[in-house]
Amino acid sequence: MARGGRVNNRFRVHGPDEGGTVNPVIQDVTDRITERSATSRAAYLARIRRDGEAARAKGPARAHLGCANLAHGFAGAPADDKLVLRGVGNNAAKPGVAIVTSYNDMLSAHQPYETYPPELKAAVRKAGGVAQVAGGVPAMCDGITQGRPGMELSLYSRDVIAMAAAIALSHDMFDASLLLGVCDKIVPGLFIGALHFGHLPAIFVPAGPMTSGLPNKVKARTRQLFAEGKVGRQELLDAEAKSYHSPGTCTFYGTANSNQALMEVMGLHLPGSTFVNPHTELRHALTEAAGRRAVEITAHGSEYTPIGELVDEKAIVNACVALLATGGSTNHTIHLVAMAAAAGIALTWDDFARLSGVVPSLTKIYPNGQADVNHFRDAGGMQVLIGDLLDEGLLHGDVMTVAGPGLDRYREAPELVDGELVWAPVTGGSSDLDVLRPVAAPFSPDGGIHMLSGNLGRAVSKVSAVKPEHLVIEAPAKVFDDQLELLRAFEAGELDGQDFVAVIRYQGPSANGMPELHKLTPPLAVLLDRGQRVAIVTDGRMSGASGKVPAAIHLSPEAADGGPIALVRDGDPIRLDSAAGTLELRVPAEELARRAPQGRPLSDAQWVGTGRELFAAFRRMAGHAEQGAGIFGVSGAESPDHGPGLGFLAEAGASHLETGAPVGAQHAGLAR
């Protein structure tokens, strides 16, 4: 790789790159979002600009605390940092940087963060600032809780993390933040929390993926063999342990690695830092560089870059494009809506649908292929992907980033030259066309995620791993009110030798927290391999783990809110057409009108254990999947009608349906 670009950890100054003429559909979607969000975004920007102007005028935030407040803020600091925090001599002008960490040593992805605080503190100190660990946020592992009651807290944890991040930053000691998080709900939660302090610059600091382990094809096959009873628990555990074997992010392209890719394309990572393995020299150099950069972009330097200005409509569209182009986690059709709302931006599933029509599928990373994220990185990774999307007008180049203005600088890759961190332009294309392809020769002409609509509601379908012949299915429904019911039916042989659409309902945000239903994939994949035509329709989640099984997920409105899925009976014909974007219950409308909903979610009295009872309020407040499935409204909105999760006044233990809350009515104004 040629040397050049940015040298000695400094970012060269140049104007934003337009990346060529922006595709007209990309521009039109951006314009629609901007128009739809005008009121809320303006109110949000007015608030953070007021705070930003005050910060620039007054100097470091801590200097304006009362003496007792400030003394509490530095009482436990090391002696040298205490002098800075106290403001003795020339130290009064040194900015303070908050470290908000999701470290725990149970999660492989977050274990590397154990050593980050001292590294970041040293880097910030060298750059002329002072850093403190402002707080921690919870980080649960969906891999551990999969198929268990704890998974029913997973989606709720995103909003808990946002609130925990806000608590960390609420001390008003800080002029920037360094956010340490990787997986599933952790990055979206940190993102939402940081945007509520939008006048502060924020840099996300990744930990990187573990090195490649057992090939994904072997792991998937072992899971299917276990589901068929052909191998035992020890063989399965050996395969899983060889797949998930060391510190670092799991290497498949699920929500964790989708998070990381989106943070880079949004300009919230340092360029090229996303998929560098933990505990390497380059990883340490990038971590230190993030600490130094956080000081440079505070309101007290010449490159003030508040996160609330950086995350604008163009950045949100760029994130959607990257998600579609890489066939990323379907969880982000929920998370990105909630993340955008935190910046006063109203993103809808219609926006995803329109973008999917022009954004091609450019990667094959497990579960969409056999490669993992290390192979993707080695094929050219984010630099090649971003560069090609910019050249083809599928990304907005004229955006702010933590590295400076313009997404063009994210074409460059970091490397160590004589111990110095430099960035060099990546001028070639993909080195492995089985993993990463250019826009001119994609794996598919449209995005890996499709939106579905019909008389059952609206849903999401991940098509990037589904064979073309499985994109359309019409078959009788088999209805389950719990995923364990389906697993028992499989084990009893009740699903053998027949085509069907498995309907798993009462799995939405206001029913039981919208758990991921990963455990359904191996048995249904077994039936698919036997020649049966099977599919899934659910108001729950499956991330990217539906794999080769066609699935309509995140169905909205959910059964607990009176969605039509509650009217489905065994044997009803359902047509799922992921190619055309339709989902239809083939039952006459007059027949449906005569039906009453069947089943119901667990009451609060039943929904207990594993701490679930602590989250009963979340069940009552959670918005629909299509509106982000959260409890927060759109920042800057003038009315509760603008935001998910607002406007419900429920009795304890009551679902939205029981309160008579209008299904979807609270968001009708955001649809277009």
Side-chain angles (χ1 to χ4, degrees):
M1 183 181 293
R3 301 181 190 176
R6 307 177 185 112
V7 183
N8 297 328
N9 307 304
R10 302 295 300 177
F11 296 93
R12 59 184 165 85
V13 178
H14 57 62
D17 173 64
E18 294 290 343
T21 303
V22 175
N23 179 286
V25 173
I26 303 293
Q27 188 60 56
D28 183 61
V29 170
T30 308
D31 291 342
R32 287 177 183 234
I33 294 171
T34 302
E35 180 181 1
R36 184 190 311 135
S37 311
T39 300
S40 55
R41 178 66 175 169
Y44 173 80
L45 288 174
R47 185 178 81 231
I48 69 165
R49 286 171 179 170
R50 179 196 64 214
D51 293 341
E53 289 170 4
R56 301 197 80 164
K58 296 178 180 178
R62 67 185 181 280
H64 304 281
L65 296 178
C67 292
N69 306 98
L70 182 58
H72 278 288
F74 62 64
D80 290 346
D81 286 350
K82 187 175 289 189
L83 292 176
V84 177
L85 290 165
R86 184 167 180 161
V88 174
N90 295 328
N91 291 320
K94 292 184 176 181
V97 177
I99 300 170
V100 182
T101 178
S102 58
Y103 163 72
N104 65 57
D105 62 11
M106 181 186 67
L107 274 65
S108 64
H110 293 191
Q111 187 275 343
Y113 285 141
E114 179 180 14
T115 62
Y116 275 39
E119 292 179 48
L120 290 169
K121 288 179 182 181
V124 168
R125 194 177 296 118
K126 185 180 292 186
V130 59
Q132 296 173 284
V133 176
V137 302
M140 67 182 296
C141 179
D142 290 1
I144 297 173
T145 58
Q146 194 60 240
R148 304 184 61 80
M151 172 56 83
E152 296 179 8
L153 305 183
S154 178
L155 184 56
Y156 296 150
S157 77
R158 182 193 68 196
D159 292 2
V160 173
I161 291 162
M163 292 187 284
I167 289 170
L169 297 175
S170 69
H171 296 95
D172 291 332
M173 290 277 292
F174 310 110
D175 305 289
S177 63
L178 291 161
L179 306 173
L180 279 52
V182 175
C183 293
D184 300 289
K185 270 53 70 184
I186 294 92
V187 166
L190 288 169
F191 188 100
I192 292 168
L195 280 168
H196 283 273
F197 292 78
H199 66 291
L200 296 179
I203 298 177
F204 282 78
V205 188
M210 65 179 68
T211 56
S212 301
L214 187 74
N216 289 308
K217 186 175 183 179
V218 178
K219 176 185 70 176
R221 180 59 183 155
T222 305
R223 288 177 175 178
Q224 286 193 210
L225 290 172
F226 180 79
E228 295 177 275
K230 295 179 179 179
V231 300
R233 175 181 170 86
Q234 191 58 53
E235 290 89 345
L236 178 61
L237 183 57
D238 286 345
E240 299 290 354
K242 291 174 182 176
S243 298
Y244 311 114
H245 60 88
S246 69
T249 315
C250 305
T251 59
F252 68 92
Y253 196 53
T255 311
N257 285 315
S258 297
N259 281 338
Q260 302 307 296
L262 298 191
M263 290 304 98
E264 179 144 356
V265 83
M266 294 180 81
L268 286 164
H269 280 175
L270 293 186
S273 64
T274 296
F275 295 127
V276 176
N277 300 123
H279 304 309
T280 61
E281 289 187 35
L282 183 57
R283 177 84 276 159
H284 290 304
L286 286 163
T287 299
E288 292 171 356
R292 289 190 294 271
R293 187 63 181 164
V295 175
E296 295 171 353
I297 62 175
T298 67
H300 315 300
S302 60
E303 300 181 67
Y304 180 38
T305 310
I307 187 174
E309 300 274 5
L310 185 157
V311 179
D312 62 7
E313 296 88 346
K314 291 180 179 180
I316 292 294
V317 169
N318 283 353
C320 295
V321 168
L323 181 73
L324 293 165
T326 58
S329 172
T330 53
N331 278 328
H332 273 294
T333 62
I334 296 174
H335 293 324
L336 279 172
V337 172
M339 292 158 69
I345 298 168
L347 179 69
T348 72
W349 282 2
D350 290 323
D351 300 321
F352 283 101
R354 294 201 68 219
L355 292 169
S356 184
V358 297
V359 176
S361 181
L362 302 181
T363 70
K364 284 288 186 184
I365 317 171
Y366 186 82
N368 307 337
Q370 297 309 314
D372 64 27
V373 294
N374 293 309
H375 303 133
F376 167 69
R377 177 201 62 216
D378 294 342
M382 295 303 297
Q383 290 70 47
V384 169
L385 179 79
I386 289 172
D388 192 41
L389 289 170
L390 279 170
D391 289 341
E392 297 295 331
L394 294 172
L395 289 175
H396 292 287
D398 54 335
V399 292
M400 296 174 66
T401 80
V402 297
L407 196 59
D408 180 54
R409 58 192 73 228
Y410 284 76
R411 299 172 184 262
E412 299 178 353
E415 59 180 277
L416 290 172
V417 177
D418 298 328
E420 291 290 326
L421 179 63
V422 302
W423 275 262
V426 175
T427 56
S430 171
S431 63
D432 188 345
L433 295 177
D434 290 332
V435 178
L436 173 62
R437 290 189 181 177
V439 173
F443 290 106
S444 171
D446 57 3
I449 298 173
H450 289 183
M451 302 296 141
L452 311 178
S453 61
N455 65 350
L456 277 174
R458 305 250 286 171
V460 173
S461 180
K462 184 167 181 175
V463 299
S464 48
V466 178
K467 292 181 179 180
E469 60 267 29
H470 294 153
L471 290 175
V472 181
I473 177 175
E474 184 168 342
K478 281 191 173 294
V479 182
F480 306 92
D481 289 347
D482 185 278
Q483 61 177 319
L484 296 180
E485 294 177 7
L486 187 151
L487 294 173
R488 284 192 289 266
F490 172 80
E491 291 169 359
E494 297 170 3
L495 305 180
D496 294 348
Q498 54 191 305
D499 297 345
F500 64 91
V501 174
V503 176
I504 305 98
R505 61 193 179 188
Y506 297 105
Q507 303 299 308
S510 63
N512 64 348
M514 206 180 187
E516 291 182 351
L517 308 176
H518 287 185
K519 284 189 177 294
L520 302 183
T521 299
L524 292 176
V526 168
L527 301 179
L528 198 68
D529 287 348
R530 291 176 182 171
Q532 294 174 230
R533 295 185 63 78
V534 299
I536 299 169
V537 173
T538 181
D539 49 11
R541 295 183 296 129
M542 292 193 76
S543 180
S546 55
K548 62 187 180 183
V549 179
I553 62 178
H554 305 177
L555 187 63
S556 181
E558 62 176 288
D561 284 346
I565 189 175
L567 304 177
V568 181
R569 306 287 188 265
D570 279 333
D572 285 347
I574 293 178
R575 182 178 177 84
L576 192 167
D577 188 337
S578 294
T582 58
L583 177 63
E584 294 288 339
L585 177 63
R586 295 295 180 92
V587 174
E590 56 271 21
E591 164 65 17
L592 290 178
R594 290 193 293 267
R595 290 183 179 180
Q598 288 190 338
R600 58 169 290 129
L602 297 176
S603 68
D604 279 358
Q606 296 169 309
W607 196 63
V608 296
T610 321
R612 288 177 293 175
E613 59 275 12
L614 297 172
F615 292 80
F618 282 69
R619 295 175 72 198
R620 294 192 291 273
M621 295 180 66
H624 297 293
E626 191 171 357
Q627 285 80 42
I631 64 172
F632 309 129
V634 177
S635 292
E638 295 179 348
S639 164
D641 291 345
H642 282 279
L646 300 180
F648 289 119
L649 297 174
E651 298 290 337
S655 70
H656 296 176
L657 178 60
E658 291 169 321
T659 68
V663 174
Q666 73 274 30
H667 305 295
L670 292 183
R672 301 291 173 193

